[in-house]
């Protein structure tokens, strides 16, 4: 007797239910009927790498099935059926472990790649300094060579003019002893004059050779600078990908862990407390978390100003002050500060603005976010491309305080993050940098030129 395709499919599904090797009918119904947003889909994809391994599931099984979650109806049915309770307990425990492990693994990977990005970025900045210093030395030697050549030319011209005077020959052939002494004296002076001219000429040649050598070294240093810039950009992309994966894992955990733990507790509860009671507890905690976030946002808005300049205050060309408070550290060489997290750098590539923990950080101008994640000693970090080769960086953002994502367009003065103490920092503040074609520049002077004082 032949079977229809529908009958064959039902038979196969029934067989999978019997052997325990596939999703149950309830699981299939719960998954396919559950709405999945863009973030959920991204999270499911991220979990396919680590979460499957936690379950011991091979790559042949879809990530979607591995990341399905039980509904409260599933929990109630399992609680009412001792045979099903054990399997449901095991499934929920596995999902909880998978969520936690996925967060731990992706965060570790994100931290490692962010450290590599920071190291590459600082090596690039250092290469800029080396190339600029070599070129400055070459330019200085070129000026010295030019001045020495000018002096040698003047001496040669003076000597040429004196060469047309036959007084020396007349004195040489005269019989006067006094005149002969005068000739010897003049010849001695002339010899010293010639020696001085030779020394000036040698200095000119030496300075010219030094200028050429330094120019050649500067050219090599610029090539190395450009190479390191490419490396830094590649490391940035890798770090952003890792940060996105870590955020997706954290979002997934945030969305489901509390519910899973409540469902697990409900299944393990032998008292008369109902599943509905646990479900209500999850809803209450979610409401409390929402209220907490709203309070933090209100506090950040209250801290947006400052006696030494308010965040978001506008200058010209769309540029605004990125943070409130006073400038606690400026751009340039500085004495390193040391603490439990190590020592700060001896050269400060940005300007520090201190306005309190959690105070709002604003986009200094409109543009596209091309990095939002960890960045080694910078801690949590955001970079925005403003166009025309100009970009800005914002460092030491508080944990969970990044409010934008890679590829997002932001308006001038829009809140993009909240100040913190992450990375190698010694108190809550914003470390603000400005870049021209990827290289650092003095942000204080740059902003002042646009009517913004930081």
């Amino acid at each position: 007797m032949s079977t229809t395709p529908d009958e064959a499919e039902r038979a196969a599904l029934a067989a999978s239910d019997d052997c325990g090797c596939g999703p149950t009918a309830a699981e299939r119904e719960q998954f396919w009927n559950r709405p999945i947003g863009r973030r959920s889909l991204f999270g499911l994809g991220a979990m396919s790498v680590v979460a499957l391994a936690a379950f011991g599931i091979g790559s042949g099984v879809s990530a979607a099935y591995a990341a399905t979650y039980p509904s409260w109806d599933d929990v109630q049915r399992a609680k009412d059926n001792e045979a099903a309770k054990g399997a449901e307990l095991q499934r929920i425990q596995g999902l909880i472990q998978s969520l936690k492990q996925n967060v731990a693994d992706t965060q570790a990977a994100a931290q490692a790649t962010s450290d590599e990005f920071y190291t590459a970025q600082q090596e690039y900045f250092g290469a800029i300094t080396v190339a600029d210093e070599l070129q400055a030395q070459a330019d200085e030697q070129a000026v010295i060579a030019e001045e020495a050549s000018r002096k040698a030319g003047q001496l040669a011209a003076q000597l040429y003019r004196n060469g047309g005077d036959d007084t020396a020959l007349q004195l040489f052939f005269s019989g006067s002893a006094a005149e002969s002494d005068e000739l010897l004296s003049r010849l001695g002076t002339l010899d010293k004059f010639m020696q001085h001219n030779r020394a000036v000429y040698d200095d000119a040649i030496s300075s010219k050779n030094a200028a050429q050598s330094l120019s050649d070294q500067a050219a090599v240093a610029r090539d190395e600078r450009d190479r390191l810039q490419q490396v830094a950009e590649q490391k940035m992309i890798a770090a952003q990908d890792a940060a996105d994966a870590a955020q997706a894992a954290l979002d997934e955990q945030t969305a489901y862990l509390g519910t899973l733990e409540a469902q697990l507790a409900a299944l393990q509860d032998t008292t008369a407390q109902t599943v509905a009671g646990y479900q209500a507890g999850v809803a209450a905690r979610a409401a409390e978390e929402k209220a907490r976030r709203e309070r933090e946002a209100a506090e950040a808005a209250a801290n947006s100003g400052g006696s030494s300049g308010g965040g978001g205050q506008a200058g010209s060309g769309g540029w605004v002050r990125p943070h409130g408070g006073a400038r606690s550290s400026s751009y340039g060489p500085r004495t390193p500060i040391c603490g439990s997290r190590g020592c700060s750098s001896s050269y400060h590539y940005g300007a520090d603005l201190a306005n309190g923990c959690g105070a709002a950080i604003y986009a200094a101008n409109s543009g596209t976010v091309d990095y939002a994640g960890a960045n080694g000693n910078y801690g949590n970090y955001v970079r925005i491309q403003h166009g025309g080769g100009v970009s800005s960086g914002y460092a030491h953002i508080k944990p969970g305080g990044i409010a934008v994502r890679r590829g997002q367009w932001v308006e001038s003065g829009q809140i993009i993050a909240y100040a913190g103490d992450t990375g190698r920092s010694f108190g809550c503040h914003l470390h603000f940098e400005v870049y021209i074609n990827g290289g650092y520049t003095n942000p204080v002077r740059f902003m002042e030129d646009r009517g913004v004082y930081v």
Side-chain angles (χ1 to χ4, degrees):
M1 179 178 177
S2 61
T3 60
T4 66
D6 290 341
E7 290 172 339
E9 182 179 359
R10 284 195 293 272
L13 293 174
S16 69
D17 288 341
D18 293 340
C19 72
C21 56
T24 65
E27 290 169 342
R28 288 190 297 272
E29 179 181 2
Q30 188 272 334
F31 175 73
W32 292 114
N33 291 335
R34 177 169 64 90
I36 302 178
R38 180 181 177 187
R39 175 169 288 184
S40 298
L41 286 171
F42 186 75
L44 297 179
M47 288 191 70
S48 66
V49 177
V50 180
L52 297 183
F55 282 114
I57 299 174
S59 59
V61 180
S62 71
Y65 164 54
T68 57
Y69 298 94
S71 67
W72 283 104
D73 289 340
D74 293 336
V75 173
Q76 183 63 64
R77 284 192 292 268
K79 193 174 177 66
D80 295 339
N81 186 333
E82 285 299 322
K85 182 188 291 187
E88 194 69 3
L89 279 169
Q90 185 176 5
R91 182 163 80 105
I92 292 175
Q93 288 169 337
L95 284 167
I96 290 173
Q97 176 59 30
S98 172
L99 284 172
K100 292 180 177 179
Q101 188 63 48
N102 194 31
V103 168
D105 289 346
T106 54
Q107 286 182 342
Q111 185 60 54
T113 53
S114 84
D115 289 343
E116 292 178 1
F117 170 35
Y118 176 81
T119 298
Q121 187 180 42
Q122 298 307 300
E123 287 178 350
Y124 165 52
F125 287 170
I128 295 173
T129 301
V130 170
D132 288 349
E133 288 179 350
L134 284 170
Q135 189 59 58
Q137 293 173 21
D139 293 343
E140 181 181 359
Q141 288 298 318
V143 171
I144 293 173
E146 183 178 355
E147 179 63 18
S149 297
R150 186 185 64 80
K151 288 182 178 179
Q154 288 177 340
L155 290 171
Q158 183 65 33
L159 184 62
Y160 174 78
R161 287 194 296 271
N162 289 341
D165 187 357
D166 61 356
T167 304
L169 292 176
Q170 293 174 2
L171 288 172
F172 184 77
F173 288 109
S174 70
S176 170
E179 290 174 344
S180 296
D181 289 342
E182 183 181 352
L183 173 62
L184 291 176
S185 175
R186 291 184 63 188
L187 287 175
T189 302
L190 182 61
D191 183 59
K192 292 179 181 179
F193 181 79
M194 294 292 291
Q195 290 178 6
H196 178 66
N197 190 45
R198 169 57 64 181
V200 171
Y201 175 77
D202 289 344
D203 287 345
I205 294 299
S206 176
S207 297
K208 180 181 179 181
N209 291 339
Q212 185 61 57
S213 176
L214 288 166
S215 293
D216 293 342
Q217 293 176 54
V220 172
R222 285 193 294 272
D223 289 342
E224 177 65 3
R225 175 202 64 191
D226 295 343
R227 184 189 71 82
L228 289 174
Q229 182 180 20
Q230 293 180 359
V231 171
E233 290 298 314
Q234 292 167 358
K235 294 293 185 181
M236 185 194 76
I237 293 171
Q240 183 67 78
D241 290 342
D244 288 346
Q247 185 62 49
L250 185 61
D251 289 345
E252 194 82 0
Q253 176 176 280
T254 300
Y256 295 105
L257 184 60
T259 298
L260 287 170
E261 290 175 338
Q263 290 172 336
L264 183 65
L267 285 172
Q268 293 172 332
D269 188 6
T270 57
T271 68
Q273 186 171 352
T274 65
V275 168
Y278 284 97
Q279 188 174 3
V282 172
R285 286 192 293 274
E288 290 175 1
E289 176 63 19
K290 180 181 178 182
R292 183 189 65 81
R293 290 196 299 268
E294 290 175 348
R295 285 196 303 272
E296 288 184 350
E299 290 173 0
N303 287 336
S304 62
S307 59
S308 298
Q313 290 183 348
S316 61
W319 291 93
V320 304
R321 200 174 199 269
H323 197 54
R327 186 169 78 229
S328 57
S329 183
S330 196
Y331 170 89
R334 64 177 178 180
T335 301
I337 303 172
C338 296
S340 59
R341 301 180 189 177
C343 296
S344 62
S345 62
S346 59
Y347 198 94
H348 198 222
Y349 294 113
D352 290 345
L353 300 175
N355 197 36
C357 299
I361 298 171
Y362 304 89
N365 207 333
S366 301
T368 301
V369 176
D370 71 342
Y371 190 85
N375 183 7
N377 291 348
Y378 282 166
N380 293 326
Y381 170 85
V382 169
R383 193 174 78 174
I384 302 173
Q385 294 290 341
H386 303 293
V390 179
S391 55
S392 57
Y394 312 77
H396 305 311
I397 296 166
K398 77 173 190 176
I402 296 177
V404 293
R405 291 286 181 268
R406 170 174 57 175
Q408 179 179 340
W409 174 266
V410 294
E411 298 294 339
S412 176
Q414 177 179 332
I415 293 178
I416 58 171
Y418 300 92
D421 191 29
T422 57
R424 188 163 293 174
S425 171
F426 303 94
C428 290
H429 69 284
L430 165 66
H431 172 85
F432 175 65
E433 295 183 347
V434 174
Y435 317 107
I436 306 296
N437 296 321
Y440 62 83
T441 192
N442 186 336
V444 177
R445 186 179 303 155
F446 178 91
M447 296 297 280
E448 284 181 353
D449 290 343
R450 289 150 183 83
V452 179
Y453 298 92
V454 297

